[in-house]
Amino acid sequence: MVDRSTQARPVGRKDARRNYERLLTTARTAFAEHGVGASLNDIARTAGVGNVTLYRHFPTRQALLEALLGESLRGLKARSDELLASPSPHQALATWLTAAVEHAMAYRGLVDALVESLADPTSELHATCQAVKAAGAQLLTRAQHTGTIRPDIDASALFSLIASVAWAAERSPAHRDQLLAVMFDGLHRRVDERA
Amino acid sequence: MVDRSTQARPVGRKDARRNYERLLTTARTAFAEHGVGASLNDIARTAGVGNVTLYRHFPTRQALLEALLGESLRGLKARSDELLASPSPHQALATWLTAAVEHAMAYRGLVDALVESLADPTSELHATCQAVKAAGAQLLTRAQHTGTIRPDIDASALFSLIASVAWAAERSPAHRDQLLAVMFDGLHRRVDERA
DNA sequence: ACCTGAACACCGTTCAAGT
DNA sequence: ACCTGAACACCGTTCAAGT
């Protein structure tokens, strides 16, 4: 697997490295303020850089997002590894789902970009999202094996569920915990349905 | 309450009525093909009408959506009234939720517009969405009174749930039934939690 | 009363031309 | 090797001017 984020970070001319860093910090602020749909020309302008410089460093909006969030998103994989060692598979999944929804809400509109990139192998965010999905898969199957989680859900359905909760919670933050609770209870294998 | 859809339909000059109808049928096709984000200038052009004519009849994109979908969305209220007479409050809610999700998926991107309009009292779709929400509230409280549905959910949380499932199902249609099942099971009051 | 074409300020993307 | 300003084709919205 290619690590695009390292590949993209310039190592040549000093002004190239400086522009790259300026674009990242400016984009972070712009996304935080206007959501991931923030104007790219505007980001370049604010960074004091020609717009083509932005497009050279980050060919797509998703490349910019990967550079900003890749590390934090890959942290969900580490978190999943930790939780695999915890005593309750059921509780471990619940904890991780909450963290995943949190990560997907880092910027307004982010969750759309994440879902899009998972479906698009050419996206710079694709590998990152697949790693998140794989991290969830580990915890999911462990919990399914103990019989507390419904067996008809796979990793990609779980990703959809995380995304749907993040999407709705972004629009009505007051309902976030309820949405999480409904999702997680819905994942629970019902007592009266056990074999 | 003002019925904006009737108010907007022109009754004066013949060309005005004709343009109005042309815009509606053109918009229906455009939304079906490109989602609710379809270009409005393009719709006007295809309808053979000046773009300002479109904006006079439909000041906002939501006005256009209301004209196209208002009747069908208000049908969810009628459906709710019917279902209130059915023997199983629990099953009635399940049936209605499925129908509501279906309606929210009429066009790509529609669910975003619906959620937006519910939060914005000035939107032409606002009253329509509130009617949908109220329709769900009836079935929800009836089912809650019989004790099969968790009591910590209100009508607006239910609307969020419907929207979140519609949003996710639009992006991965294969998971639609699973998403619905998880949501509805999550709404179920658990056997081991009953008083 | 209702219409239209043209203008405006944006957007993402790509161009030719620099140093 | 890396940069920039200007152009391009769009977008939604609004203008002045028609019949």
Side-chain angles (χ1 to χ4, degrees):
Chain A
M1 186 174 7
V2 184
D3 184 345
R4 295 173 192 273
S5 68
T6 301
Q7 206 179 34
R9 180 163 261 120
V11 289
R13 266 165 51 169
K14 193 173 181 178
D15 55 347
R17 288 202 306 275
R18 195 203 51 194
N19 285 341
Y20 180 92
E21 297 302 334
R22 276 194 187 170
L23 284 166
L24 273 191
T25 59
T26 308
R28 180 171 280 118
T29 312
F31 287 166
E33 189 164 358
H34 304 108
V36 300
S39 160
L40 297 182
N41 277 348
D42 211 44
I43 290 172
R45 198 161 32 242
T46 306
V49 150
N51 53 0
V52 184
T53 298
L54 184 150
Y55 285 103
R56 192 169 347 91
H57 286 307
F58 309 103
T60 68
R61 196 179 290 274
Q62 307 225 339
L64 202 40
L65 287 170
E66 208 287 330
L68 285 175
L69 297 171
E71 202 176 322
S72 127
L73 286 173
R74 279 185 293 273
L76 280 172
K77 162 71 173 152
R79 190 95 179 83
S80 155
D81 291 337
E82 280 171 34
L83 285 164
L84 278 173
S86 76
S88 163
H90 192 75
Q91 184 54 45
L93 181 61
T95 302
W96 188 82
L97 286 176
T98 305
V101 167
E102 203 70 40
H103 276 71
M105 293 174 68
Y107 299 124
R108 210 156 9 103
L110 174 61
V111 68
D112 298 77
L114 297 179
V115 169
E116 217 175 285
S117 76
L118 191 58
D120 174 16
T122 70
S123 164
E124 292 86 352
L125 258 173
H126 183 70
T128 305
C129 282
Q130 272 201 322
V132 171
K133 182 176 140 183
Q138 295 181 290
L139 291 165
L140 175 67
T141 51
R142 187 169 77 123
Q144 281 172 327
H145 281 136
T146 65
T148 63
I149 294 292
R150 57 193 301 157
D152 64 330
I153 294 290
D154 61 6
S156 98
L158 188 69
F159 194 93
S160 279
L161 281 166
I162 293 165
S164 73
V165 168
W167 180 85
E170 182 181 302
R171 276 145 190 87
S172 41
H175 292 141
R176 195 194 61 165
D177 292 344
Q178 280 175 50
L179 290 161
L180 270 166
V182 169
M183 164 173 72
F184 195 65
D185 283 3
L187 284 172
H188 199 124
R189 187 170 189 172
R190 312 197 68 76
V191 175
D192 45 346
E193 282 167 6
R194 287 194 196 153
Chain B
M1 188 178 355
V2 184
D3 183 345
R4 296 172 192 271
S5 69
T6 300
Q7 205 178 34
R9 180 163 260 122
V11 289
R13 267 166 47 169
K14 194 173 180 178
D15 56 346
R17 287 201 307 276
R18 194 203 51 192
N19 285 342
Y20 180 92
E21 298 301 334
R22 276 193 187 170
L23 283 166
L24 274 190
T25 58
T26 307
R28 181 171 279 119
T29 313
F31 287 166
E33 190 164 357
H34 304 110
V36 300
S39 160
L40 296 181
N41 278 348
D42 211 44
I43 290 171
R45 198 160 33 239
T46 307
V49 151
N51 52 0
V52 183
T53 298
L54 184 150
Y55 286 103
R56 194 169 345 90
H57 286 307
F58 310 103
T60 68
R61 197 179 289 274
Q62 307 225 339
L64 202 39
L65 286 170
E66 209 289 329
L68 285 175
L69 296 172
E71 202 177 322
S72 127
L73 286 173
R74 280 185 293 274
L76 281 172
K77 162 72 174 150
R79 191 93 179 85
S80 156
D81 290 338
E82 281 171 32
L83 285 164
L84 278 172
S86 76
S88 163
H90 192 75
Q91 184 54 46
L93 181 62
T95 303
W96 189 83
L97 285 177
T98 305
V101 167
E102 203 71 38
H103 277 71
M105 294 174 69
Y107 299 124
R108 208 154 13 100
L110 174 62
V111 69
D112 298 76
L114 297 179
V115 169
E116 217 176 285
S117 76
L118 190 59
D120 174 16
T122 70
S123 164
E124 293 86 351
L125 258 173
H126 183 69
T128 305
C129 281
Q130 272 202 323
V132 171
K133 181 176 141 181
Q138 295 181 291
L139 292 165
L140 175 66
T141 51
R142 187 169 78 123
Q144 281 171 329
H145 281 137
T146 65
T148 63
I149 294 292
R150 57 193 299 157
D152 64 329
I153 293 290
D154 62 6
S156 98
L158 188 69
F159 194 94
S160 278
L161 280 167
I162 293 165
S164 73
V165 169
W167 179 85
E170 183 182 303
R171 276 145 191 88
S172 41
H175 292 142
R176 196 194 60 164
D177 292 344
Q178 281 176 47
L179 290 162
L180 270 165
V182 169
M183 164 173 72
F184 195 65
D185 283 3
L187 285 171
H188 199 123
R189 187 172 189 171
R190 312 196 68 75
V191 175
D192 45 346
E193 282 167 7
R194 286 193 197 155

